[in-house]
Amino acid sequence: MRNSVPGYHGRYLRIDLSTGESNSVALDESRLRRTLGGSGLGVDILLEEDAATADPLSEAAAIAFVFSSLVGSPLTTSAKFAVVSKSPLTERINDSLASSGFALAGKKTGHDAILLTGRARQPSVVLVNDDSVTVLPAGALWGVENSESQQRLHERFGSDYQFATIGPAGERLVRYATISHDGRHAGRGGSGAVLGAKNVKAIGVRGSRRVEWAYPTELTAYAKRLSEKSFGPATAKYRELGTATNLLAFNRLNVLPTRNFQQGSFAGAEAISPEQLSVTRERSRASCAACTIGCEHLYGMRNGDGKVRLEYENLFALGPLCGIDDPDVVLQACKRCDELGLDTISAGGTIAFAMECAERGYIDEPWLRFGDGAALQRGLEMVASGDGVGSVLSQGSRRMAQVVGQNSIAFAPQVKGLEIPGYDPRGLQTMALGFAVGTRGADHNRSGAYEVDFSDAVDRRAVGPESVSLAVETENKAALMDSLILCKFLRGVFEDFYVEAAEMLHLITGWDLSPMELRVTAGRLVDAKKRFNILAGWSPAEDTLPERILKQPLPEDPRAELSAERLSTLVSAYNQARGWTADGYIVEEICK
């Protein structure tokens, strides 16, 4: 029976790995309209499962692979899926997104989401083929790295399956392990460890079920126009040098985190910049599935060991943050993270923190030194294996600081346990607010507030409460894009995002949505994540930044200074702008 809402199947697949049972759960139109898909629908399903109160590495935990009404459409960048769970790194909500054919194949199974609960009795591969669910022993695949795992799986089950896999890091429950497909990763927050705890090496999807579009002719015409705009000046820098093009710009502005946030600029930045790599290395470009932007840049290894996809966050975390200026080391570290299944930001952040601890004499690991490429590479292998100091490195910088003591938490580069990405909050203070209040922790993909800092709307070194609404707006827009699901590199392409999002949804679903309804929906999506966190044990004290950030101005830019008092004022204004209490509780939660 066909669902009445075009673009959706109107159901999700719930698989209990403990019993081997699976069942189809209906999604009515009002729920789909309220959550849209992607992250929004995933959080809603987890709330229904009471996942907020479960240990994220327990049998009771749940993890959802979620699609949206746009997946499979001709709209550029729409081939994305969201992975939503409670994070084993932060113990708060975690939603990671990736672009790949897994999204297209997953939706063809006839489901808007696939939910895994329970725990398989042995390391396993889960196959979903339309309504058929099969759980098979992973056998010799357990312990195998990502690209080889995917190759073997295709050889065993056929090329028409699309597989999402975990590497050795996920199997060993590294708290920032990733889920990978075809060189792309649902990375931050440790969703790979959640799969590992469920004894799932891989999930494979294929199917034959398609959805209809409400206005297919008009949708095709709109998609063509959007594709043409996506190839314009708003995305030119991503095509030319990729996201890593930001490295030298941030270095000039003294907001490039260096040596565990001890500095805001890096003397060796030019040596590892894409501008330099593009003339000294073999380089090629690629695109994600169903994408016209083509931001993916791959650089050849000196040893002939293939090419490595390089993005800004990989480059920052495994380069300047650890004091590394050797491009061979950085490229090799990126490749190892991909194969082992490690989030590059958390891996680099935790190792950089350990390097400072070692230099201070807080840990007895004299080989861990800033600028030492061999130390970085050794550290990554130890994280994945759990050998030696790797057992504590695998827990992330916050948990490591709790083990190290000596007030090392003051310089652990994290918010809510999630390592800070490549933007120094002292010189980008709207972004500082976004990091502090982020439901996922410090995250540049859930708050685009750095766009505000780089505009004429604020003084990025002295942001006040009057600018809070701008941070809220970027966060709402991100929440909506992650539920639709669309790539955030399209942000600059839209003249009025809410107007055009309403038009896209109308052409796909037939819904007559107003831009205002979508604005309300966006705020509701953020509320749902906050509700999850409150249930998980969130407290107002979490919405802050490390003591180093709040007590030490940037050495290269003394004006870039952010006190705890001013951040607290910004956080309070943010909470009230969202309609929450001044200390960040949703009013209805207080009444319960």
Side-chain angles (χ1 to χ4, degrees), residues 150-407:
Q150 291 172 26
Q151 179 182 341
R152 289 194 197 179
L153 285 162
H154 284 303
E155 290 171 354
R156 180 178 174 185
F157 297 108
S159 59
D160 51 345
Y161 269 107
Q162 297 291 317
F163 289 96
T165 60
I166 61 171
E171 297 168 6
R172 293 192 60 84
L173 309 187
V174 174
R175 290 183 183 270
Y176 44 91
T178 62
I179 295 174
S180 303
H181 175 265
D182 196 23
R184 308 297 299 183
H185 314 279
R188 307 220 65 198
S191 53
V194 178
L195 272 196
K198 294 190 173 302
N199 269 332
V200 174
K201 175 65 176 180
I203 176 170
V205 291
R206 72 177 181 186
S208 58
R209 297 178 177 173
R210 298 180 180 273
V211 295
E212 294 180 346
W213 317 117
Y215 302 100
T217 302
E218 293 85 347
L219 176 62
T220 300
Y222 179 91
K224 182 179 180 180
R225 295 194 300 272
L226 182 62
S227 293
E228 290 170 352
K229 289 198 295 181
S230 76
F231 206 68
T235 59
K237 72 174 184 178
Y238 302 123
R239 289 192 302 278
E240 291 164 5
L241 289 172
T243 60
T245 188
N246 293 328
L247 184 82
L248 292 183
F250 289 173
N251 199 48
R252 287 191 297 270
L253 293 170
N254 299 312
V255 293
L256 175 63
T258 298
R259 294 171 62 93
N260 193 36
F261 287 83
Q262 294 182 78
Q263 299 164 249
S265 63
F266 183 49
E270 186 173 352
I272 58 173
S273 69
E275 289 86 348
Q276 181 69 16
L277 290 174
S278 65
V279 297
T280 61
R281 305 290 174 121
E282 182 183 355
R283 176 171 66 109
S284 60
R285 280 181 48 209
S287 297
C288 298
C291 176
T292 52
I293 296 174
C295 73
E296 189 171 334
H297 289 250
L298 299 99
Y299 293 90
M301 301 286 289
R302 289 281 194 210
N303 59 9
D305 190 19
K307 292 185 178 180
V308 179
R309 180 172 54 87
L310 191 62
E311 295 183 356
Y312 170 70
E313 295 297 342
N314 301 3
L315 187 56
F316 130 79
L318 301 170
L321 196 64
C322 294
I324 306 292
D325 63 3
D326 184 334
D328 288 307
V329 171
V330 175
L331 288 171
Q332 182 61 34
C334 289
K335 183 169 185 177
R336 291 307 293 151
C337 284
D338 287 352
E339 291 296 344
L340 295 169
L342 290 171
D343 171 35
T344 54
I345 301 175
S346 284
T350 303
I351 290 174
F353 169 70
M355 286 174 169
E356 183 168 353
C357 287
E359 291 199 348
R360 287 172 176 250
Y362 292 177
I363 59 175
D364 185 19
E365 303 291 343
W367 57 275
L368 266 172
R369 288 293 183 265
F370 287 112
D372 189 328
L376 172 63
Q377 293 171 330
R378 180 180 174 186
L380 291 174
E381 300 298 334
M382 293 177 79
V383 168
S385 69
D387 294 337
V389 73
S391 62
V392 68
L393 288 171
S394 69
Q395 303 299 303
S397 61
R398 182 176 66 177
R399 282 182 172 83
M400 183 174 181
Q402 292 166 352
V403 172
V404 171
Q406 305 188 70
N407 197 37

Side-chain angles (χ1 to χ4, degrees), residues 545-563:
L545 294 169
E547 188 176 306
R548 164 170 285 164
I549 302 299
L550 300 176
K551 288 192 173 181
Q552 300 173 15
L554 277 170
E556 304 92 335
D557 185 3
R559 266 198 71 206
E561 183 176 17
L562 178 63
S563 69

Side-chain angles (χ1 to χ4, degrees), residues 3-17:
N3 179 57
S4 60
V5 183
Y8 293 100
H9 295 289
R11 60 181 186 149
Y12 72 89
L13 181 66
R14 187 182 190 278
I15 303 171
D16 187 332
L17 296 165

